[in-house]
mmCIF file with all atom_site columns, all heavy atoms in Angstrom:
data_model
loop_
_atom_site.group_PDB
_atom_site.id
_atom_site.type_symbol
_atom_site.label_atom_id
_atom_site.label_alt_id
_atom_site.label_comp_id
_atom_site.label_asym_id
_atom_site.label_entity_id
_atom_site.label_seq_id
_atom_site.pdbx_PDB_ins_code
_atom_site.Cartn_x
_atom_site.Cartn_y
_atom_site.Cartn_z
_atom_site.occupancy
_atom_site.B_iso_or_equiv
_atom_site.pdbx_formal_charge
_atom_site.auth_seq_id
_atom_site.auth_comp_id
_atom_site.auth_asym_id
_atom_site.auth_atom_id
_atom_site.pdbx_PDB_model_num
ATOM 1   N N   . ASN P 1 157 ? 15.793 13.371 10.207  1.00 95.00 ? 951 ASN P N   1
ATOM 2   C CA  . ASN P 1 157 ? 15.958 12.957 8.812   1.00 95.00 ? 951 ASN P CA  1
ATOM 3   C C   . ASN P 1 157 ? 14.686 12.417 8.204   1.00 95.00 ? 951 ASN P C   1
ATOM 4   O O   . ASN P 1 157 ? 14.709 11.773 7.162   1.00 95.00 ? 951 ASN P O   1
ATOM 5   C CB  . ASN P 1 157 ? 17.073 11.922 8.666   1.00 95.00 ? 951 ASN P CB  1
ATOM 6   C CG  . ASN P 1 157 ? 16.864 10.692 9.520   1.00 95.00 ? 951 ASN P CG  1
ATOM 7   O OD1 . ASN P 1 157 ? 16.207 10.736 10.558  1.00 95.00 ? 951 ASN P OD1 1
ATOM 8   N ND2 . ASN P 1 157 ? 17.415 9.580  9.076   1.00 95.00 ? 951 ASN P ND2 1
ATOM 9   N N   . VAL P 1 158 ? 13.506 12.673 8.838   1.00 95.00 ? 952 VAL P N   1
ATOM 10  C CA  . VAL P 1 158 ? 12.212 12.221 8.312   1.00 95.00 ? 952 VAL P CA  1
ATOM 11  C C   . VAL P 1 158 ? 11.358 13.437 8.030   1.00 95.00 ? 952 VAL P C   1
ATOM 12  O O   . VAL P 1 158 ? 11.319 14.414 8.778   1.00 95.00 ? 952 VAL P O   1
ATOM 13  C CB  . VAL P 1 158 ? 11.469 11.325 9.328   1.00 95.00 ? 952 VAL P CB  1
ATOM 14  C CG1 . VAL P 1 158 ? 10.128 10.938 8.811   1.00 95.00 ? 952 VAL P CG1 1
ATOM 15  C CG2 . VAL P 1 158 ? 12.286 10.076 9.636   1.00 95.00 ? 952 VAL P CG2 1
ATOM 16  N N   . ARG P 1 159 ? 10.656 13.354 6.902   1.00 94.00 ? 953 ARG P N   1
ATOM 17  C CA  . ARG P 1 159 ? 9.595  14.342 6.631   1.00 94.00 ? 953 ARG P CA  1
ATOM 18  C C   . ARG P 1 159 ? 8.408  13.622 5.980   1.00 94.00 ? 953 ARG P C   1
ATOM 19  O O   . ARG P 1 159 ? 8.566  12.650 5.265   1.00 94.00 ? 953 ARG P O   1
ATOM 20  C CB  . ARG P 1 159 ? 10.089 15.508 5.811   1.00 94.00 ? 953 ARG P CB  1
ATOM 21  C CG  . ARG P 1 159 ? 10.236 15.247 4.307   1.00 94.00 ? 953 ARG P CG  1
ATOM 22  C CD  . ARG P 1 159 ? 10.503 16.552 3.566   1.00 94.00 ? 953 ARG P CD  1
ATOM 23  N NE  . ARG P 1 159 ? 10.509 16.402 2.161   1.00 94.00 ? 953 ARG P NE  1
ATOM 24  C CZ  . ARG P 1 159 ? 11.598 16.332 1.409   1.00 94.00 ? 953 ARG P CZ  1
ATOM 25  N NH1 . ARG P 1 159 ? 12.787 16.365 1.956   1.00 94.00 ? 953 ARG P NH1 1
ATOM 26  N NH2 . ARG P 1 159 ? 11.495 16.206 0.082   1.00 94.00 ? 953 ARG P NH2 1
ATOM 27  N N   . PHE P 1 160 ? 7.218  14.162 6.282   1.00 93.00 ? 954 PHE P N   1
ATOM 28  C CA  . PHE P 1 160 ? 5.990  13.567 5.758   1.00 93.00 ? 954 PHE P CA  1
ATOM 29  C C   . PHE P 1 160 ? 5.304  14.562 4.825   1.00 93.00 ? 954 PHE P C   1
ATOM 30  O O   . PHE P 1 160 ? 5.320  15.770 5.064   1.00 93.00 ? 954 PHE P O   1
ATOM 31  C CB  . PHE P 1 160 ? 5.048  13.182 6.887   1.00 93.00 ? 954 PHE P CB  1
ATOM 32  C CG  . PHE P 1 160 ? 5.595  12.098 7.780   1.00 93.00 ? 954 PHE P CG  1
ATOM 33  C CD1 . PHE P 1 160 ? 5.951  12.376 9.092   1.00 93.00 ? 954 PHE P CD1 1
ATOM 34  C CD2 . PHE P 1 160 ? 5.766  10.812 7.298   1.00 93.00 ? 954 PHE P CD2 1
ATOM 35  C CE1 . PHE P 1 160 ? 6.458  11.379 9.903   1.00 93.00 ? 954 PHE P CE1 1
ATOM 36  C CE2 . PHE P 1 160 ? 6.279  9.829  8.111   1.00 93.00 ? 954 PHE P CE2 1
ATOM 37  C CZ  . PHE P 1 160 ? 6.627  10.110 9.405   1.00 93.00 ? 954 PHE P CZ  1
ATOM 38  N N   . GLU P 1 161 ? 4.735  14.053 3.750   1.00 92.00 ? 955 GLU P N   1
ATOM 39  C CA  . GLU P 1 161 ? 4.073  14.860 2.743   1.00 92.00 ? 955 GLU P CA  1
ATOM 40  C C   . GLU P 1 161 ? 2.695  14.288 2.456   1.00 92.00 ? 955 GLU P C   1
ATOM 41  O O   . GLU P 1 161 ? 2.533  13.043 2.428   1.00 92.00 ? 955 GLU P O   1
ATOM 42  C CB  . GLU P 1 161 ? 4.913  14.898 1.452   1.00 92.00 ? 955 GLU P CB  1
ATOM 43  C CG  . GLU P 1 161 ? 6.303  15.493 1.630   1.00 92.00 ? 955 GLU P CG  1
ATOM 44  C CD  . GLU P 1 161 ? 7.159  15.408 0.376   1.00 92.00 ? 955 GLU P CD  1
ATOM 45  O OE1 . GLU P 1 161 ? 6.719  14.741 -0.628  1.00 92.00 ? 955 GLU P OE1 1
ATOM 46  O OE2 . GLU P 1 161 ? 8.238  16.025 0.383   1.00 92.00 ? 955 GLU P OE2 1
ATOM 47  N N   . ILE P 1 162 ? 1.734  15.152 2.202   1.00 89.00 ? 956 ILE P N   1
ATOM 48  C CA  . ILE P 1 162 ? 0.400  14.716 1.793   1.00 89.00 ? 956 ILE P CA  1
ATOM 49  C C   . ILE P 1 162 ? 0.416  14.617 0.261   1.00 89.00 ? 956 ILE P C   1
ATOM 50  O O   . ILE P 1 162 ? 0.615  15.611 -0.418  1.00 89.00 ? 956 ILE P O   1
ATOM 51  C CB  . ILE P 1 162 ? -0.671 15.706 2.256   1.00 89.00 ? 956 ILE P CB  1
ATOM 52  C CG1 . ILE P 1 162 ? -0.590 15.890 3.782   1.00 89.00 ? 956 ILE P CG1 1
ATOM 53  C CG2 . ILE P 1 162 ? -2.067 15.177 1.867   1.00 89.00 ? 956 ILE P CG2 1
ATOM 54  C CD1 . ILE P 1 162 ? -0.632 14.619 4.570   1.00 89.00 ? 956 ILE P CD1 1
ATOM 55  N N   . ASP P 1 163 ? 0.256  13.454 -0.247  1.00 89.00 ? 957 ASP P N   1
ATOM 56  C CA  . ASP P 1 163 ? 0.355  13.260 -1.698  1.00 89.00 ? 957 ASP P CA  1
ATOM 57  C C   . ASP P 1 163 ? -0.368 11.999 -2.079  1.00 89.00 ? 957 ASP P C   1
ATOM 58  O O   . ASP P 1 163 ? -0.602 11.107 -1.253  1.00 89.00 ? 957 ASP P O   1
ATOM 59  C CB  . ASP P 1 163 ? 1.852  13.128 -2.100  1.00 89.00 ? 957 ASP P CB  1
ATOM 60  C CG  . ASP P 1 163 ? 2.055  13.425 -3.594  1.00 89.00 ? 957 ASP P CG  1
ATOM 61  O OD1 . ASP P 1 163 ? 1.048  13.731 -4.283  1.00 89.00 ? 957 ASP P OD1 1
ATOM 62  O OD2 . ASP P 1 163 ? 3.190  13.300 -4.043  1.00 89.00 ? 957 ASP P OD2 1
ATOM 63  N N   . ASP P 1 164 ? -0.731 11.935 -3.365  1.00 89.00 ? 958 ASP P N   1
ATOM 64  C CA  . ASP P 1 164 ? -1.405 10.757 -3.919  1.00 89.00 ? 958 ASP P CA  1
ATOM 65  C C   . ASP P 1 164 ? -0.445 10.110 -4.890  1.00 89.00 ? 958 ASP P C   1
ATOM 66  O O   . ASP P 1 164 ? -0.101 10.694 -5.932  1.00 89.00 ? 958 ASP P O   1
ATOM 67  C CB  . ASP P 1 164 ? -2.688 11.201 -4.652  1.00 89.00 ? 958 ASP P CB  1
ATOM 68  C CG  . ASP P 1 164 ? -3.377 10.049 -5.361  1.00 89.00 ? 958 ASP P CG  1
ATOM 69  O OD1 . ASP P 1 164 ? -3.026 8.875  -5.059  1.00 89.00 ? 958 ASP P OD1 1
ATOM 70  O OD2 . ASP P 1 164 ? -4.246 10.301 -6.201  1.00 89.00 ? 958 ASP P OD2 1
ATOM 71  N N   . MET P 1 165 ? 0.011  8.941  -4.566  1.00 89.00 ? 959 MET P N   1
ATOM 72  C CA  . MET P 1 165 ? 0.993  8.247  -5.401  1.00 89.00 ? 959 MET P CA  1
ATOM 73  C C   . MET P 1 165 ? 0.450  7.761  -6.704  1.00 89.00 ? 959 MET P C   1
ATOM 74  O O   . MET P 1 165 ? 1.185  7.257  -7.549  1.00 89.00 ? 959 MET P O   1
ATOM 75  C CB  . MET P 1 165 ? 1.595  7.081  -4.592  1.00 89.00 ? 959 MET P CB  1
ATOM 76  C CG  . MET P 1 165 ? 2.574  7.496  -3.536  1.00 89.00 ? 959 MET P CG  1
ATOM 77  S SD  . MET P 1 165 ? 4.072  8.269  -4.195  1.00 89.00 ? 959 MET P SD  1
ATOM 78  C CE  . MET P 1 165 ? 3.741  10.003 -3.922  1.00 89.00 ? 959 MET P CE  1
ATOM 79  N N   . GLU P 1 166 ? -0.877 7.872  -6.891  1.00 90.00 ? 960 GLU P N   1
ATOM 80  C CA  . GLU P 1 166 ? -1.430 7.513  -8.185  1.00 90.00 ? 960 GLU P CA  1
ATOM 81  C C   . GLU P 1 166 ? -1.411 8.710  -9.164  1.00 90.00 ? 960 GLU P C   1
ATOM 82  O O   . GLU P 1 166 ? -1.678 8.527  -10.361 1.00 90.00 ? 960 GLU P O   1
ATOM 83  C CB  . GLU P 1 166 ? -2.851 6.995  -8.028  1.00 90.00 ? 960 GLU P CB  1
ATOM 84  C CG  . GLU P 1 166 ? -2.926 5.653  -7.331  1.00 90.00 ? 960 GLU P CG  1
ATOM 85  C CD  . GLU P 1 166 ? -3.873 4.722  -7.993  1.00 90.00 ? 960 GLU P CD  1
ATOM 86  O OE1 . GLU P 1 166 ? -5.092 4.870  -7.750  1.00 90.00 ? 960 GLU P OE1 1
ATOM 87  O OE2 . GLU P 1 166 ? -3.437 3.830  -8.743  1.00 90.00 ? 960 GLU P OE2 1
ATOM 88  N N   . SER P 1 167 ? -1.125 9.875  -8.656  1.00 88.00 ? 961 SER P N   1
ATOM 89  C CA  . SER P 1 167 ? -0.935 11.059 -9.537  1.00 88.00 ? 961 SER P CA  1
ATOM 90  C C   . SER P 1 167 ? 0.524  11.078 -9.980  1.00 88.00 ? 961 SER P C   1
ATOM 91  O O   . SER P 1 167 ? 1.359  10.318 -9.490  1.00 88.00 ? 961 SER P O   1
ATOM 92  C CB  . SER P 1 167 ? -1.268 12.336 -8.790  1.00 88.00 ? 961 SER P CB  1
ATOM 93  O OG  . SER P 1 167 ? -2.629 12.317 -8.357  1.00 88.00 ? 961 SER P OG  1
ATOM 94  N N   . GLU P 1 168 ? 0.807  11.954 -10.906 1.00 90.00 ? 962 GLU P N   1
ATOM 95  C CA  . GLU P 1 168 ? 2.175  12.060 -11.402 1.00 90.00 ? 962 GLU P CA  1
ATOM 96  C C   . GLU P 1 168 ? 3.128  12.460 -10.263 1.00 90.00 ? 962 GLU P C   1
ATOM 97  O O   . GLU P 1 168 ? 2.840  13.402 -9.512  1.00 90.00 ? 962 GLU P O   1
ATOM 98  C CB  . GLU P 1 168 ? 2.263  13.103 -12.532 1.00 90.00 ? 962 GLU P CB  1
ATOM 99  C CG  . GLU P 1 168 ? 3.574  13.057 -13.313 1.00 90.00 ? 962 GLU P CG  1
ATOM 100 C CD  . GLU P 1 168 ? 3.751  11.779 -14.098 1.00 90.00 ? 962 GLU P CD  1
ATOM 101 O OE1 . GLU P 1 168 ? 2.743  11.193 -14.552 1.00 90.00 ? 962 GLU P OE1 1
ATOM 102 O OE2 . GLU P 1 168 ? 4.921  11.342 -14.219 1.00 90.00 ? 962 GLU P OE2 1
ATOM 103 N N   . TRP P 1 169 ? 4.238  11.763 -10.127 1.00 91.00 ? 963 TRP P N   1
ATOM 104 C CA  . TRP P 1 169 ? 5.198  12.042 -9.066  1.00 91.00 ? 963 TRP P CA  1
ATOM 105 C C   . TRP P 1 169 ? 5.946  13.335 -9.400  1.00 91.00 ? 963 TRP P C   1
ATOM 106 O O   . TRP P 1 169 ? 6.381  13.535 -10.524 1.00 91.00 ? 963 TRP P O   1
ATOM 107 C CB  . TRP P 1 169 ? 6.151  10.897 -8.864  1.00 91.00 ? 963 TRP P CB  1
ATOM 108 C CG  . TRP P 1 169 ? 5.498  9.627  -8.374  1.00 91.00 ? 963 TRP P CG  1
ATOM 109 C CD1 . TRP P 1 169 ? 4.171  9.357  -8.324  1.00 91.00 ? 963 TRP P CD1 1
ATOM 110 C CD2 . TRP P 1 169 ? 6.160  8.478  -7.865  1.00 91.00 ? 963 TRP P CD2 1
ATOM 111 N NE1 . TRP P 1 169 ? 3.962  8.083  -7.830  1.00 91.00 ? 963 TRP P NE1 1
ATOM 112 C CE2 . TRP P 1 169 ? 5.151  7.523  -7.545  1.00 91.00 ? 963 TRP P CE2 1
ATOM 113 C CE3 . TRP P 1 169 ? 7.499  8.121  -7.677  1.00 91.00 ? 963 TRP P CE3 1
ATOM 114 C CZ2 . TRP P 1 169 ? 5.457  6.273  -7.018  1.00 91.00 ? 963 TRP P CZ2 1
ATOM 115 C CZ3 . TRP P 1 169 ? 7.804  6.898  -7.140  1.00 91.00 ? 963 TRP P CZ3 1
ATOM 116 C CH2 . TRP P 1 169 ? 6.802  5.948  -6.827  1.00 91.00 ? 963 TRP P CH2 1
ATOM 117 N N   . LEU P 1 170 ? 6.160  14.143 -8.419  1.00 89.00 ? 964 LEU P N   1
ATOM 118 C CA  . LEU P 1 170 ? 6.859  15.445 -8.594  1.00 89.00 ? 964 LEU P CA  1
ATOM 119 C C   . LEU P 1 170 ? 8.330  15.360 -8.271  1.00 89.00 ? 964 LEU P C   1
ATOM 120 O O   . LEU P 1 170 ? 9.041  16.362 -8.386  1.00 89.00 ? 964 LEU P O   1
ATOM 121 C CB  . LEU P 1 170 ? 6.188  16.502 -7.744  1.00 89.00 ? 964 LEU P CB  1
ATOM 122 C CG  . LEU P 1 170 ? 4.692  16.752 -8.001  1.00 89.00 ? 964 LEU P CG  1
ATOM 123 C CD1 . LEU P 1 170 ? 4.143  17.863 -7.088  1.00 89.00 ? 964 LEU P CD1 1
ATOM 124 C CD2 . LEU P 1 170 ? 4.461  17.128 -9.455  1.00 89.00 ? 964 LEU P CD2 1
ATOM 125 N N   . TYR P 1 171 ? 8.817  14.189 -7.883  1.00 93.00 ? 965 TYR P N   1
ATOM 126 C CA  . TYR P 1 171 ? 10.247 14.027 -7.595  1.00 93.00 ? 965 TYR P CA  1
ATOM 127 C C   . TYR P 1 171 ? 11.012 13.889 -8.887  1.00 93.00 ? 965 TYR P C   1
ATOM 128 O O   . TYR P 1 171 ? 10.459 13.531 -9.940  1.00 93.00 ? 965 TYR P O   1
ATOM 129 C CB  . TYR P 1 171 ? 10.478 12.794 -6.725  1.00 93.00 ? 965 TYR P CB  1
ATOM 130 C CG  . TYR P 1 171 ? 9.600  12.750 -5.515  1.00 93.00 ? 965 TYR P CG  1
ATOM 131 C CD1 . TYR P 1 171 ? 8.568  11.798 -5.416  1.00 93.00 ? 965 TYR P CD1 1
ATOM 132 C CD2 . TYR P 1 171 ? 9.765  13.625 -4.434  1.00 93.00 ? 965 TYR P CD2 1
ATOM 133 C CE1 . TYR P 1 171 ? 7.723  11.775 -4.309  1.00 93.00 ? 965 TYR P CE1 1
ATOM 134 C CE2 . TYR P 1 171 ? 8.952  13.570 -3.335  1.00 93.00 ? 965 TYR P CE2 1
ATOM 135 C CZ  . TYR P 1 171 ? 7.935  12.656 -3.259  1.00 93.00 ? 965 TYR P CZ  1
ATOM 136 O OH  . TYR P 1 171 ? 7.119  12.602 -2.164  1.00 93.00 ? 965 TYR P OH  1
ATOM 137 N N   . LYS P 1 172 ? 12.303 14.182 -8.811  1.00 93.00 ? 966 LYS P N   1
ATOM 138 C CA  . LYS P 1 172 ? 13.156 14.049 -9.990  1.00 93.00 ? 966 LYS P CA  1
ATOM 139 C C   . LYS P 1 172 ? 13.340 12.583 -10.311 1.00 93.00 ? 966 LYS P C   1
ATOM 140 O O   . LYS P 1 172 ? 13.320 11.715 -9.413  1.00 93.00 ? 966 LYS P O   1
ATOM 141 C CB  . LYS P 1 172 ? 14.538 14.682 -9.726  1.00 93.00 ? 966 LYS P CB  1
ATOM 142 C CG  . LYS P 1 172 ? 14.479 16.218 -9.582  1.00 93.00 ? 966 LYS P CG  1
ATOM 143 C CD  . LYS P 1 172 ? 15.877 16.758 -9.343  1.00 93.00 ? 966 LYS P CD  1
ATOM 144 C CE  . LYS P 1 172 ? 15.832 18.291 -9.225  1.00 93.00 ? 966 LYS P CE  1
ATOM 145 N NZ  . LYS P 1 172 ? 17.188 18.842 -8.967  1.00 93.00 ? 966 LYS P NZ  1
ATOM 146 N N   . ASP P 1 173 ? 13.554 12.278 -11.585 1.00 95.00 ? 967 ASP P N   1
ATOM 147 C CA  . ASP P 1 173 ? 13.877 10.906 -11.971 1.00 95.00 ? 967 ASP P CA  1
ATOM 148 C C   . ASP P 1 173 ? 15.223 10.493 -11.335 1.00 95.00 ? 967 ASP P C   1
ATOM 149 O O   . ASP P 1 173 ? 16.065 11.349 -11.057 1.00 95.00 ? 967 ASP P O   1
ATOM 150 C CB  . ASP P 1 173 ? 13.998 10.795 -13.497 1.00 95.00 ? 967 ASP P CB  1
ATOM 151 C CG  . ASP P 1 173 ? 12.666 11.068 -14.197 1.00 95.00 ? 967 ASP P CG  1
ATOM 152 O OD1 . ASP P 1 173 ? 11.648 11.256 -13.487 1.00 95.00 ? 967 ASP P OD1 1
ATOM 153 O OD2 . ASP P 1 173 ? 12.664 11.133 -15.424 1.00 95.00 ? 967 ASP P OD2 1
ATOM 154 N N   . ASN P 1 174 ? 15.376 9.192  -11.115 1.00 96.00 ? 968 ASN P N   1
ATOM 155 C CA  . ASN P 1 174 ? 16.634 8.658  -10.613 1.00 96.00 ? 968 ASN P CA  1
ATOM 156 C C   . ASN P 1 174 ? 17.073 9.306  -9.292  1.00 96.00 ? 968 ASN P C   1
ATOM 157 O O   . ASN P 1 174 ? 18.236 9.693  -9.117  1.00 96.00 ? 968 ASN P O   1
ATOM 158 C CB  . ASN P 1 174 ? 17.758 8.838  -11.634 1.00 96.00 ? 968 ASN P CB  1
ATOM 159 C CG  . ASN P 1 174 ? 17.394 8.271  -13.005 1.00 96.00 ? 968 ASN P CG  1
ATOM 160 O OD1 . ASN P 1 174 ? 16.994 7.117  -13.099 1.00 96.00 ? 968 ASN P OD1 1
ATOM 161 N ND2 . ASN P 1 174 ? 17.501 9.088  -14.031 1.00 96.00 ? 968 ASN P ND2 1
ATOM 162 N N   . SER P 1 175 ? 16.147 9.480  -8.366  1.00 96.00 ? 969 SER P N   1
ATOM 163 C CA  . SER P 1 175 ? 16.456 10.243 -7.144  1.00 96.00 ? 969 SER P CA  1
ATOM 164 C C   . SER P 1 175 ? 16.453 9.435  -5.863  1.00 96.00 ? 969 SER P C   1
ATOM 165 O O   . SER P 1 175 ? 16.919 9.920  -4.828  1.00 96.00 ? 969 SER P O   1
ATOM 166 C CB  . SER P 1 175 ? 15.505 11.441 -7.011  1.00 96.00 ? 969 SER P CB  1
ATOM 167 O OG  . SER P 1 175 ? 14.172 11.014 -6.992  1.00 96.00 ? 969 SER P OG  1
ATOM 168 N N   . PHE P 1 176 ? 15.918 8.191  -5.856  1.00 98.00 ? 970 PHE P N   1
ATOM 169 C CA  . PHE P 1 176 ? 15.802 7.448  -4.590  1.00 98.00 ? 970 PHE P CA  1
ATOM 170 C C   . PHE P 1 176 ? 16.664 6.176  -4.620  1.00 98.00 ? 970 PHE P C   1
ATOM 171 O O   . PHE P 1 176 ? 16.676 5.435  -5.601  1.00 98.00 ? 970 PHE P O   1
ATOM 172 C CB  . PHE P 1 176 ? 14.332 7.049  -4.341  1.00 98.00 ? 970 PHE P CB  1
ATOM 173 C CG  . PHE P 1 176 ? 13.450 8.225  -4.034  1.00 98.00 ? 970 PHE P CG  1
ATOM 174 C CD1 . PHE P 1 176 ? 12.629 8.765  -5.008  1.00 98.00 ? 970 PHE P CD1 1
ATOM 175 C CD2 . PHE P 1 176 ? 13.448 8.814  -2.774  1.00 98.00 ? 970 PHE P CD2 1
ATOM 176 C CE1 . PHE P 1 176 ? 11.817 9.860  -4.727  1.00 98.00 ? 970 PHE P CE1 1
ATOM 177 C CE2 . PHE P 1 176 ? 12.663 9.901  -2.451  1.00 98.00 ? 970 PHE P CE2 1
ATOM 178 C CZ  . PHE P 1 176 ? 11.825 10.421 -3.447  1.00 98.00 ? 970 PHE P CZ  1
ATOM 179 N N   . ASP P 1 177 ? 17.313 5.943  -3.488  1.00 98.00 ? 971 ASP P N   1
ATOM 180 C CA  . ASP P 1 177 ? 18.068 4.692  -3.349  1.00 98.00 ? 971 ASP P CA  1
ATOM 181 C C   . ASP P 1 177 ? 17.153 3.539  -2.981  1.00 98.00 ? 971 ASP P C   1
ATOM 182 O O   . ASP P 1 177 ? 17.474 2.386  -3.248  1.00 98.00 ? 971 ASP P O   1
ATOM 183 C CB  . ASP P 1 177 ? 19.116 4.847  -2.232  1.00 98.00 ? 971 ASP P CB  1
ATOM 184 C CG  . ASP P 1 177 ? 20.144 5.904  -2.549  1.00 98.00 ? 971 ASP P CG  1
ATOM 185 O OD1 . ASP P 1 177 ? 20.987 5.707  -3.465  1.00 98.00 ? 971 ASP P OD1 1
ATOM 186 O OD2 . ASP P 1 177 ? 20.091 6.964  -1.891  1.00 98.00 ? 971 ASP P OD2 1
#
Side-chain angles (χ1 to χ4, degrees):
N951 57 332
V952 176
R953 77 170 187 259
F954 296 111
E955 299 175 352
I956 305 306
D957 200 3
D958 176 15
M959 285 294 101
E960 291 224 281
S961 300
E962 193 65 33
W963 294 13
L964 301 180
Y965 310 108
K966 292 181 179 179
D967 296 355
N968 306 308
S969 56
F970 292 100
D971 298 290

